[in-house]
Amino acid sequence: MGGTVEMKAAVLFRTGAPLRILDAVEAPPPGRGQVFVALSHAGVCHSQVMEVRGGRGPDPYLPHLLGHEGVGRVLAVGEGVTRVVPGDRVVLGWIKGQGLDADPVRYRWRDLDLNAGAVTTFNTHALVAENRCQLLPDGVPDEIGVLLGCAAPTGAGIVTNELKPAPGASAAVFGLGGIGLTALMALAAAGCDPIIAVDIAPAKLQAALDCGATHVIDASREDPVAAIRSLTAGRGVDCAVEAAGRVQTIEQAFESTRKFGGQCVFASHPPAGQKVSVDPHDLISGKGLKGTWGGGSVPDRDVPLFARMYLDGKLPLERLLRDRYELDEINQAIDSLAAGSAFRPLIRL
């Protein structure tokens, strides 16, 4: 790859405003530790909703590209890159794996510099750090490979790396987007029973049943904590996963776990400045509450693991791919995810 390459990208210029779709964004040649990828698909995560809408507070990097889950083909590599070569199909994700951790990228549009971190995916091409690339295992379609960048490592990783439930353990999942449904699939693969799914969207509750839930609770119609206790003879569940993105649901998920060993892990990201309130007695009586950083996943180990689970039918990730958009429709995809009507928006690039 010689000289600059022009690409199309969605760019955030101001929080609270729609992304702007720019043509003729200039990408420089890959530098040390960088990989240049032509993307085919990207996924939209709640994290991008937070970024676009200012939920993380002031953004010092504007204007910038965004997106942290995608799949594509390597076009060129920079100095020092040894893990991938041109022609490889790769998964792009935000969780660091092996390889070089390259400097942040700057693109150019007209007379403006556009910031980017180690990986962005709302763009037709991307310069990414080597340690944000994983080889896409043979047999996994591109559309499924997208989910190996964030949804599967975080959702399934919570179960396989952090909760590690024994067969027959009782479980609850609050919030049935990409991460919540993937966690539910992994709980089913682990042999948990019952598996109780909580949301307010009928389509997501039906999807949970299709993915292995034994019971569903519409939190707009009944108190989910009381309903879970009723389903578990008053004890509460052995483990709970929270992925709804609200302080209230983190508190409810924690309340729904049993004393003396119940564990709650939350993957959601409520708006900056909000605080979770818990009863200290629940903590001293042996209940656990923790957040997760990407499901505790190690990409070099877990991307192949979750790919194999998919290929073996234990992680039916295709059930998440209901909502498809073009890059020009990225703002519609973000709005749908924010409204709770989308599962895991897929962007075709």
Side-chain angles (χ1 to χ4, degrees):
M1 172 183 168
T4 60
V5 172
E6 291 190 350
M7 66 188 202
K8 186 174 183 177
V11 179
L12 180 65
F13 280 82
R14 179 170 60 86
T15 55
L19 300 180
R20 291 175 59 183
I21 310 300
L22 305 183
D23 291 305
V25 173
E26 296 180 356
R32 178 171 175 77
Q34 292 180 333
V35 180
F36 190 61
V37 179
L39 284 99
S40 65
H41 297 83
V44 185
C45 179
H46 187 69
S47 293
Q48 282 87 61
V49 175
M50 300 293 288
E51 287 180 280
V52 171
R53 299 193 171 188
R56 289 181 167 173
D59 189 334
Y61 301 107
L62 298 172
H64 65 79
L65 285 68
L66 67 174
H68 64 211
E69 176 182 68
V71 70
R73 191 172 295 276
V74 176
L75 296 182
V77 300
E79 178 189 355
V81 173
T82 60
R83 302 186 69 240
V84 297
V85 297
D88 282 343
R89 295 167 67 226
V90 289
V91 175
L92 306 183
W94 62 275
I95 305 169
K96 291 182 180 181
Q98 295 180 5
L100 296 176
D101 191 9
D103 292 336
V105 179
R106 281 194 177 180
Y107 298 99
R108 189 78 175 169
W109 181 69
R110 297 180 180 175
D111 59 347
L112 287 176
D113 285 330
L114 305 176
N115 290 313
V119 58
T120 65
T121 60
F122 293 173
N123 25 274
T124 58
H125 298 72
L127 273 171
V128 302
E130 180 186 25
N131 65 355
R132 285 1 185 256
C133 295
Q134 294 292 322
L135 289 172
L136 180 62
D138 290 342
V140 179
D142 279 11
E143 288 192 349
I144 299 297
V146 170
L147 301 173
L148 298 175
C150 173
T154 304
I158 289 171
V159 177
T160 61
N161 298 322
E162 299 188 315
L163 289 172
K164 301 178 181 178
S170 56
V173 179
F174 285 70
L176 302 174
I179 290 173
L181 283 172
T182 308
L184 192 152
M185 295 174 194
L187 290 167
C192 293
D193 187 23
I195 301 173
I196 306 164
V198 182
D199 207 287
I200 60 173
K204 292 183 176 181
L205 294 171
Q206 181 57 55
L209 291 171
D210 295 339
C211 293
T214 59
H215 303 78
V216 295
I217 297 170
D218 184 341
S220 69
R221 296 177 177 272
E222 58 182 322
D223 177 355
V225 177
I228 288 170
R229 293 199 177 280
S230 177
L231 290 167
T232 56
R235 294 173 66 247
V237 290
D238 296 314
C239 55
V241 176
E242 192 282 335
R246 300 172 60 216
V247 164
Q248 180 184 18
T249 49
I250 295 174
E251 295 170 351
Q252 290 173 334
F254 179 62
E255 281 188 67
S256 75
T257 60
R258 66 174 175 86
K259 291 187 177 183
F260 310 112
Q263 299 295 311
C264 175
V265 177
F266 64 94
S268 71
H269 187 334
Q274 294 190 5
K275 306 294 183 182
V276 173
S277 177
V278 300
D279 184 343
H281 194 272
D282 282 340
L283 296 173
I284 67 170
S285 62
K287 295 172 63 168
L289 174 66
K290 62 174 289 188
T292 184
W293 189 253
S297 282
V298 177
D300 303 87
R301 175 194 69 203
D302 291 332
V303 167
L305 169 64
F306 298 140
R308 175 48 53 191
M309 290 177 67
Y310 161 73
L311 292 170
D312 290 344
K314 296 178 180 179
L315 211 63
L317 296 172
E318 70 280 357
R319 295 179 183 173
L320 301 181
L321 300 178
R322 188 194 65 164
D323 310 286
R324 291 172 168 82
Y325 301 85
E326 303 295 323
L327 181 58
D328 289 339
E329 301 171 311
I330 187 70
N331 290 301
Q332 180 183 340
I334 289 170
D335 290 345
S336 296
L337 186 61
S341 59
F343 287 18
R344 189 72 167 191
L346 183 73
I347 309 300
R348 189 172 69 177
L349 299 163

